[in-house]
Amino acid sequence: MASPAERLRIYFVTYNVATKFPDPQQDLHQLLGISLCGEPNPWPDLYFVGLQEVKSQPQNLVLDYILFEDPWTKAFRDVLKRYDYVKIRSQRLQGLVLNAFCLRKHLTSLRLIEVQYTKTGFGGMWGNKGAVSVRMNAYGVSICVVNTHLTPHDHLLADRISDYNTIVTDHTFTVSDTSKILYHDYIFWIGDLNFRLNGEDLTASDIESLVKEKKLSELLERDQLKAVMTEGQAFAELNENGITFPPTYKYEFESQEFDLKRRPSWTDRILYKVNAVDIYDDVELSAKQRSYKSHPSYSVSDHKPVTGEFDITVRPSVKDYIVEFQECTVKESFVSYKLPRDFAPNNGDWIGLFANDFSSLDDYIVYEYVGRGKSTSVPGEPHATSTDQIFFNDTALRPSEMYCLVYVAQRGDFTEILGVSRGFSGPRRSIERHVPSM
């Protein structure tokens, strides 16, 4: 399912939205690299959308976490679902949000999906600053994406350095081989890193003039992030492609003009690292960055969003176990499915009933847990597999609509999608929707 060149294409968005809501007049297609006049060639296999300063009023925060997507996540999902993308995980820390989407055809090739966060605000007591992440294995390689919002202001460089070192030290996953961010095969670090330009002699007006004269290189020589990377104080393990776009902060709202109350700077960045030294016998890991740019036409915020697109080498020869559903119908209130040899279901595993065009794993209609007395073995199957059944109340189905079943393995803190059935139609009779109690 990976491309013939054994690569995956990954598209990143980082956007500080300054507590504003999406503007219906500013279409997100261009930000996602999708032309309304044509199709990407090829489509990105994965999208990661990192947001900062998403509105998070304390009185709404708990409900937002539990029941609702934030408006920005919903806006991005509404676009991507038209092109067969599914949101696989989302992680939020107050105003900091990271969403992972993949093409539907890759769902059962992702393993050990886990999310994490680290607070750095007020000495780690508060989540107004910090990091959120998604890690996963895809076609035999491990990928970690980190979205951060670090300490602001020109004079607090030492705090930004401290934020980074806190995150790489304290941010821990349960997958033992990749328990730390920098242990993964591929690391992508995005966000509002808040690094500014060195030199009190450089005024906001000076910066604006140099930008208009297209003398970006003179400004980038003063970039704090490049300086601390060179000195080994922070982000030294990562790489960044050359910047060819103007500073992404600070702009007047609803404008493409700088707000000179603050010195413009490149706060919004995309960095990466490939651990490529003799890791695998069958492939040499590599990442090729295809684009790195800002999008000045988006003006809802005082920041401009930044995007980057990469092709990474993967190992499609690595085969994973898959749960196979039998004939895609719900007969007599049960569904049959085949488990791979030597696969033991966990008590947290569940099978969800979804609309066939679902765009998030949160969109299940009903679900049943596997292995809690509701599945029974069926004799006569080959020794390589075992066939089980799971029971659903078919009154959850609407007449003539299309559905599918998804096997989700829940192993502690991480998730795996082990099987997706073909689409099937609901019963051709008039029924009321009913969700059984769990």
Side-chain angles (χ1 to χ4, degrees), residues 243-399:
I243 292 176
T244 59
F245 48 87
T248 57
Y249 172 84
K250 174 180 173 62
Y251 289 83
E252 296 176 353
F253 287 97
E254 310 298 336
S255 170
Q256 295 187 32
E257 300 297 323
F258 287 120
D259 178 352
L260 299 181
K261 294 175 183 177
R262 298 276 189 185
R263 296 196 309 162
S265 56
W266 285 274
T267 58
D268 309 280
R269 312 289 274 264
I270 298 175
L271 310 179
Y272 68 98
K273 175 179 173 60
V274 183
N275 283 314
V277 182
D278 299 327
I279 301 297
Y280 303 108
D281 294 333
D282 57 344
V283 69
E284 181 178 348
L285 302 182
S286 65
K288 177 183 178 181
Q289 187 162 8
R290 302 182 60 87
S291 67
Y292 189 24
K293 58 187 178 182
S294 67
H295 297 260
S297 63
Y298 291 88
S299 57
V300 70
S301 168
D302 55 353
H303 289 251
K304 299 303 180 185
V306 172
T307 61
E309 191 170 19
F310 293 79
D311 287 341
I312 66 167
T313 305
V314 295
R315 305 169 63 213
S317 59
V318 175
K319 302 299 181 184
D320 282 311
Y321 42 81
I322 300 293
V323 172
E324 297 181 4
F325 289 95
Q326 304 288 62
E327 185 65 29
C328 303
T329 59
V330 177
K331 290 184 177 180
E332 300 175 4
S333 300
F334 67 82
V335 175
S336 298
Y337 57 95
K338 285 186 177 181
L339 297 174
R341 180 176 53 188
D342 301 326
F343 174 77
N346 187 282
N347 282 340
D349 293 3
W350 54 279
I351 294 177
L353 175 69
F354 290 78
N356 196 46
D357 60 350
F358 74 97
S359 60
S360 170
L361 290 181
D362 299 327
D363 287 349
Y364 56 82
I365 300 168
V366 294
Y367 66 91
E368 290 288 352
Y369 284 109
V370 174
R372 293 193 176 182
K374 295 187 177 181
S375 60
T376 57
S377 297
V378 177
E381 292 295 328
H383 293 297
T385 61
S386 63
T387 301
D388 283 4
Q389 296 174 346
I390 195 163
F391 292 84
F392 283 99
N393 186 334
D394 67 2
T395 58
L397 306 181
R398 293 183 181 274

Side-chain angles (χ1 to χ4, degrees), residues 74 115 171 249 255 429:
K74 182 179 185 304
V115 295
H171 210 79
Y249 172 84
S255 170
R429 53 187 170 83

Side-chain angles (χ1 to χ4, degrees), residues 88-378:
I88 49 176
R89 285 303 293 265
S90 183
Q91 178 69 322
R92 182 170 183 176
L93 176 64
Q94 288 185 222
L96 194 58
V97 179
L98 178 60
N99 294 301
F101 301 85
C102 80
L103 281 172
R104 191 179 307 271
K105 66 180 181 179
H106 297 305
L107 278 174
T108 57
S109 297
L110 306 181
R111 293 289 181 267
L112 302 174
I113 305 167
E114 184 179 354
V115 295
Q116 189 54 272
Y117 68 86
T118 297
K119 301 176 183 179
T120 61
F122 295 100
M125 301 280 294
W126 190 241
N128 64 320
K129 296 294 184 290
V132 290
S133 66
V134 177
R135 65 87 55 217
M136 66 181 66
N137 285 18
Y139 295 99
V141 299
S142 59
I143 301 168
C144 181
V145 180
V146 185
N147 175 31
T148 52
H149 193 187
L150 305 185
T151 300
H153 305 306
D154 290 43
H155 64 287
L156 294 180
L157 174 59
D159 289 35
R160 287 187 278 282
I161 294 171
S162 176
D163 288 346
Y164 170 78
N165 287 293
T166 295
I167 293 165
V168 294
T169 301
D170 294 352
H171 210 79
T172 304
F173 302 100
T174 59
V175 182
S176 58
D177 291 342
T178 55
S179 59
K180 298 293 186 180
I181 293 169
L182 297 177
Y183 294 175
H184 291 77
D185 295 329
Y186 296 99
I187 302 101
F188 297 94
W189 198 303
I190 69 176
D192 179 0
L193 307 188
N194 256 322
F195 286 93
R196 309 304 172 94
L197 297 176
N198 285 322
E200 294 181 1
D201 61 313
L202 192 66
T203 68
S205 295
D206 293 336
I207 296 171
E208 181 184 43
S209 296
L210 288 168
V211 170
K212 288 181 176 179
E213 294 170 10
K214 301 187 184 303
K215 296 181 178 179
L216 300 184
S217 60
E218 292 185 27
L219 292 174
L220 287 166
E221 289 175 359
R222 300 189 181 222
D223 177 57
Q224 288 183 346
L225 178 56
K226 291 186 179 299
V228 300
M229 291 172 72
T230 299
E231 294 166 5
Q233 295 176 293
F235 293 97
E237 300 87 351
L238 292 108
N239 304 292
E240 182 181 28
N241 275 21
I243 292 176
T244 59
F245 48 87
T248 57
Y249 172 84
K250 174 180 173 62
Y251 289 83
E252 296 176 353
F253 287 97
E254 310 298 336
S255 170
Q256 295 187 32
E257 300 297 323
F258 287 120
D259 178 352
L260 299 181
K261 294 175 183 177
R262 298 276 189 185
R263 296 196 309 162
S265 56
W266 285 274
T267 58
D268 309 280
R269 312 289 274 264
I270 298 175
L271 310 179
Y272 68 98
K273 175 179 173 60
V274 183
N275 283 314
V277 182
D278 299 327
I279 301 297
Y280 303 108
D281 294 333
D282 57 344
V283 69
E284 181 178 348
L285 302 182
S286 65
K288 177 183 178 181
Q289 187 162 8
R290 302 182 60 87
S291 67
Y292 189 24
K293 58 187 178 182
S294 67
H295 297 260
S297 63
Y298 291 88
S299 57
V300 70
S301 168
D302 55 353
H303 289 251
K304 299 303 180 185
V306 172
T307 61
E309 191 170 19
F310 293 79
D311 287 341
I312 66 167
T313 305
V314 295
R315 305 169 63 213
S317 59
V318 175
K319 302 299 181 184
D320 282 311
Y321 42 81
I322 300 293
V323 172
E324 297 181 4
F325 289 95
Q326 304 288 62
E327 185 65 29
C328 303
T329 59
V330 177
K331 290 184 177 180
E332 300 175 4
S333 300
F334 67 82
V335 175
S336 298
Y337 57 95
K338 285 186 177 181
L339 297 174
R341 180 176 53 188
D342 301 326
F343 174 77
N346 187 282
N347 282 340
D349 293 3
W350 54 279
I351 294 177
L353 175 69
F354 290 78
N356 196 46
D357 60 350
F358 74 97
S359 60
S360 170
L361 290 181
D362 299 327
D363 287 349
Y364 56 82
I365 300 168
V366 294
Y367 66 91
E368 290 288 352
Y369 284 109
V370 174
R372 293 193 176 182
K374 295 187 177 181
S375 60
T376 57
S377 297
V378 177

Side-chain angles (χ1 to χ4, degrees), residues 11-25:
Y11 194 101
F12 298 92
V13 178
T14 178
Y15 195 7
N16 183 320
V17 299
T19 73
K20 304 299 183 182
F21 292 112
D23 182 351
Q25 303 303 314

